[in-house]
């Protein structure tokens, strides 16, 4: 497939009828009503029949860990299902990981994403190993796969920054190796004071090296875990909200409503993004609860009703923290919609933004380059279903994944038959 392409019989979100979408030199050149008589005389080298599927901008995975992907059960299963046992299992597995091991598992994760229409991913890489092997592999891989997917690499100090003597140096070294962003885990530091100090260190490094910030923050059911306010305050004071995200923030689920309201207004004031990871958090949280068991997801509905940018991540793919996952963003979206009471018809239609436009905002993707519009790069996905509602309902496969006018991947429709009368 060349990058001069005409895609016929495609549908646009929220519009009726069929359209033709022309791509020239990798740029969307024209979108017009589909005319079968003209289509028959097309002079384009490649003509693709979308068969009535809706076109969307590529999916954005705002939070994923490639370095642990596909390690579930190696060398043992996380039998309690808790975050802390997951960290222990993960550390054990990392102890035997090699360069080729990291590489092959990360490539498998990327293959899953490409097949599922993900063209942008923010990848958190554990930098608590002295060798920084996982990070070096991911930085190299990022360049090798950029024809398939844009990867942002975040230095993720899984074991904390202030709680371990060498961790700050390792984090700074990771930053100097060329990461895009800096992370942290303030709620996992030994003390509240250590957590606050770690946030200041992250902001200092981000300012010094001109990096974005994405902190695993308050990923706990503890209603006394209150680090988002510290992150938001720093983002406001340093005017860094547009390059700051907080991931997980599950404690917000458990705060009293008065404090939750304060935190939400601080996030809004800071103009930070929130990344929710509903799949892993619904199984990692609530582990200390008897019934009723909390859902372990942040207050997506309340955040979005305040106009705060919320996007979603898969977080984990078949690892010690979450044993399932395929690369598709739909299970995460589906889980978020259920857990957050977001199944009104308007909610369902707009929910796709959490894995498209909102993700693009979280990742600071240039708005001039993201979206299905004339003049923008032809990065787009064509779904098997005709509208967003059916895509979300069916969690439908991506029919075609196209990047700069090149066909990256396709999924052929499954054929099903019932052999008796209904
Ligand atoms: Fe994570």
């Amino acid at each position: 497939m060349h990058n001069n392409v005409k895609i016929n019989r495609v549908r646009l979100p929220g519009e009726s009828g069929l359209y033709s979408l022309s791509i020239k030199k990798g740029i969307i050149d024209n979108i017009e009503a589909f005319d079968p008589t003209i289509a028959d005389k097309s002079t384009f080298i490649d003509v693709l029949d979308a068969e009535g599927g809706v076109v969307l901008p590529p999916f954005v995975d705002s939070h994923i860990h490639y370095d642990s992907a596909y390690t579930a059960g190696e060398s043992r299963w996380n039998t309690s299902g808790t975050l802390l046992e997951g960290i222990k299992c993960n550390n054990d597995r990392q102890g035997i990981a090699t360069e080729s091991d990291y590489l092959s598992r990360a490539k498998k994760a990327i293959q899953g994403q490409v097949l599922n229409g993900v063209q942008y991913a923010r990848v958190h890489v554990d930098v608590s190993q002295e060798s920084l092997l996982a990070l070096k592999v991911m930085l190299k891989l990022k360049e090798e796969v950029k024809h398939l997917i844009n990867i942002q690499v975040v230095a993720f100090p899984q074991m904390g920054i202030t709680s371990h003597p060498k961790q700050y140096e390792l984090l700074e070294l990771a930053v100097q190796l060329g990461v895009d962003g800096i992370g942290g885990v303030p709620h996992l530091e030994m003390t509240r004071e250590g957590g606050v100090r770690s946030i200041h260190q992250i902001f200092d490094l981000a300012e010094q090296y001109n990096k974005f910030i994405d902190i695993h923050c308050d990923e706990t059911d503890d209603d006394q875990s209150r680090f988002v306010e510290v992150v938001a305050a720093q983002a406001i004071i340093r005017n860094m909200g547009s390059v700051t995200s907080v991931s997980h923030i599950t404690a917000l689920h458990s705060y009293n409503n008065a404090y939750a309201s304060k935190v939400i207004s601080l996030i809004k004031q800071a103009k930070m993004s929130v990344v929710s990871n509903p799949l892993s958090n619904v199984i990692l949280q609530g582990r200390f609860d008897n019934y009723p068991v909390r859902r372990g997801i942040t207050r997506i509905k309340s955040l979005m009703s305040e106009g705060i940018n919320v996007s979603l991540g898969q977080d984990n793919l078949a690892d010690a923290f979450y044993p399932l996952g395929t690369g598709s963003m739909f299970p995460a979206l589906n889980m978020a919609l259920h857990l957050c009471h977001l199944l009104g018809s308007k909610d369902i239609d707009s929910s796709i933004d959490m894995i498209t436009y909102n993700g693009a905002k979280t990742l600071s993707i240039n708005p001039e380059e993201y979206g299905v519009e004339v003049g923008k790069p032809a990065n787009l996905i064509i779904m098997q279903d005709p509208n967003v509602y059916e895509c979300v309902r069916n969690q439908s496969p991506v029919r075609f994944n196209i990047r700069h006018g090149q066909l990256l991947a396709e999924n052929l429709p499954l054929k099903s038959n019932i052999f008796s009368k209904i």
Side-chain angles (χ1 to χ4, degrees):
M1 184 170 170
H2 301 270
N3 56 7
N4 281 7
V5 185
K6 188 158 195 180
I7 303 169
N8 287 324
R9 299 205 301 155
V10 69
R11 292 185 193 274
L12 305 177
E15 304 280 343
S16 57
L18 294 169
Y19 289 80
S20 289
L21 188 153
S22 305
I23 298 169
K24 285 188 180 166
K25 296 182 179 173
I27 303 291
I28 299 171
D29 182 62
N30 191 31
I31 300 174
E32 61 187 351
F34 171 66
D35 181 340
T37 57
I38 292 175
D40 286 341
K41 296 171 190 165
S42 174
T43 55
F44 282 79
I45 296 169
D46 283 310
V47 179
L48 210 57
D49 184 0
E51 299 175 348
V54 66
V55 62
L56 299 172
F59 292 138
V60 180
D61 187 339
S62 297
H63 187 123
I64 190 164
H65 298 258
Y66 288 163
D67 50 353
S68 57
Y70 298 108
T71 58
E74 300 175 10
S75 50
R76 66 184 178 90
W77 287 93
N78 178 353
T79 49
S80 69
T82 62
L83 175 64
L84 293 180
E85 186 178 346
I87 291 172
K88 281 182 194 150
C89 292
N90 192 48
N91 287 348
D92 292 347
R93 179 61 177 77
Q94 273 191 349
I96 57 168
T98 61
E99 183 174 340
S100 63
D101 173 53
Y102 279 125
L103 200 57
S104 63
R105 289 186 292 99
K107 283 186 176 176
K108 188 174 172 183
I110 292 167
Q111 281 168 2
Q113 291 182 310
V114 171
L115 284 170
N116 285 287
V118 176
Q119 289 191 24
Y120 302 88
R122 179 169 283 182
V123 180
H124 295 256
V125 185
D126 189 350
V127 294
S128 58
Q129 300 168 296
E130 281 198 43
S131 67
L132 293 178
L133 178 61
L135 182 74
K136 289 170 186 167
V137 171
M138 299 309 156
L139 287 172
K140 205 167 134 196
L141 184 62
K142 171 188 163 177
E143 295 304 312
E144 285 175 18
V145 298
K146 62 185 177 191
H147 60 294
L148 300 171
I149 185 167
N150 286 49
I151 291 173
Q152 294 182 347
V153 175
V154 182
F156 171 54
Q158 170 84 75
M159 304 307 290
I161 302 171
T162 61
S163 303
H164 293 269
K166 290 186 179 169
Q167 195 55 63
Y168 180 82
E169 288 163 38
L170 273 174
L171 182 59
E172 184 162 22
L173 190 56
V175 173
Q176 289 167 344
L177 284 174
V179 300
D180 303 288
I182 305 174
V185 283
H187 56 287
L188 294 180
E189 303 288 358
M190 284 193 282
T191 62
R192 160 82 184 173
E193 291 72 20
V196 172
R197 201 161 71 250
S198 75
I199 291 168
H200 285 259
Q201 289 174 328
I202 292 163
F203 272 89
D204 288 346
L205 280 175
E207 270 190 323
Q208 184 182 344
Y209 291 95
N210 192 27
K211 306 295 181 188
F212 70 76
I213 291 167
D214 191 332
I215 298 176
H216 284 61
C217 200
D218 296 328
E219 188 184 5
T220 170
D221 296 319
D222 178 7
D223 64 356
Q224 297 303 309
S225 182
R226 297 182 170 194
F227 292 105
V228 174
E229 64 176 16
V230 182
V231 176
Q234 285 302 304
I236 293 165
I237 291 163
R238 303 186 196 220
N239 193 26
M240 290 176 70
S242 65
V243 291
T244 302
S245 306
V246 277
S247 285
H248 298 288
I249 63 168
T250 55
L252 181 58
H253 187 96
S254 298
Y255 296 153
N256 66 68
N257 288 338
Y259 182 63
S261 168
K262 177 197 169 185
V263 169
I264 290 170
S265 75
L266 277 172
I267 296 171
K268 184 178 181 180
Q269 191 185 339
K271 298 189 174 71
M272 302 191 305
S273 289
V274 171
V275 179
S276 178
N277 301 294
L279 293 173
S280 46
N281 283 135
V282 76
I283 66 157
L284 291 172
Q285 311 312 133
R287 292 289 174 160
F288 296 98
D289 292 357
N290 295 314
Y291 288 99
V293 175
R294 282 167 287 177
R295 294 176 167 186
I297 189 165
T298 197
R299 302 191 189 197
I300 291 178
K301 200 173 193 171
S302 305
L303 290 161
M304 292 210 299
S305 71
E306 286 298 318
I308 293 166
N309 186 53
V310 180
S311 59
L312 301 182
Q314 295 185 74
D315 200 6
N316 304 102
L317 268 178
D319 65 14
F321 305 97
Y322 180 75
L324 307 179
T326 60
S328 168
M329 293 304 296
F330 278 119
L333 179 62
N334 190 277
M335 187 65 73
L337 295 184
H338 283 80
L339 297 182
C340 298
H341 293 166
L342 283 166
L343 286 169
S345 64
K346 285 183 183 167
D347 295 330
I348 295 171
D349 274 351
S350 63
S351 72
I352 203 84
D353 289 353
M354 287 194 282
I355 56 173
T356 54
Y357 288 98
N358 296 9
K361 189 171 180 189
T362 299
L363 270 62
S364 299
I365 298 167
N366 183 353
E368 299 297 313
E369 295 183 2
Y370 185 84
V372 183
E373 292 173 39
V374 171
K376 292 188 175 180
N379 300 330
L380 49 94
I381 54 179
I382 296 166
M383 307 301 293
Q384 290 186 11
D385 278 311
N387 56 52
V388 169
Y389 170 73
E390 292 295 339
C391 291
V392 175
R393 187 178 73 81
N394 291 322
Q395 301 192 39
S396 65
V398 170
R399 180 74 180 89
F400 300 111
N401 181 4
I402 294 168
R403 186 166 164 93
H404 299 303
Q406 300 278 337
L407 183 61
L408 291 187
E410 69 167 343
N411 291 289
L412 299 173
L414 286 174
K415 282 198 171 174
S416 306
N417 296 306
I418 296 176
F419 296 106
S420 63
K421 285 185 180 175
I422 296 175

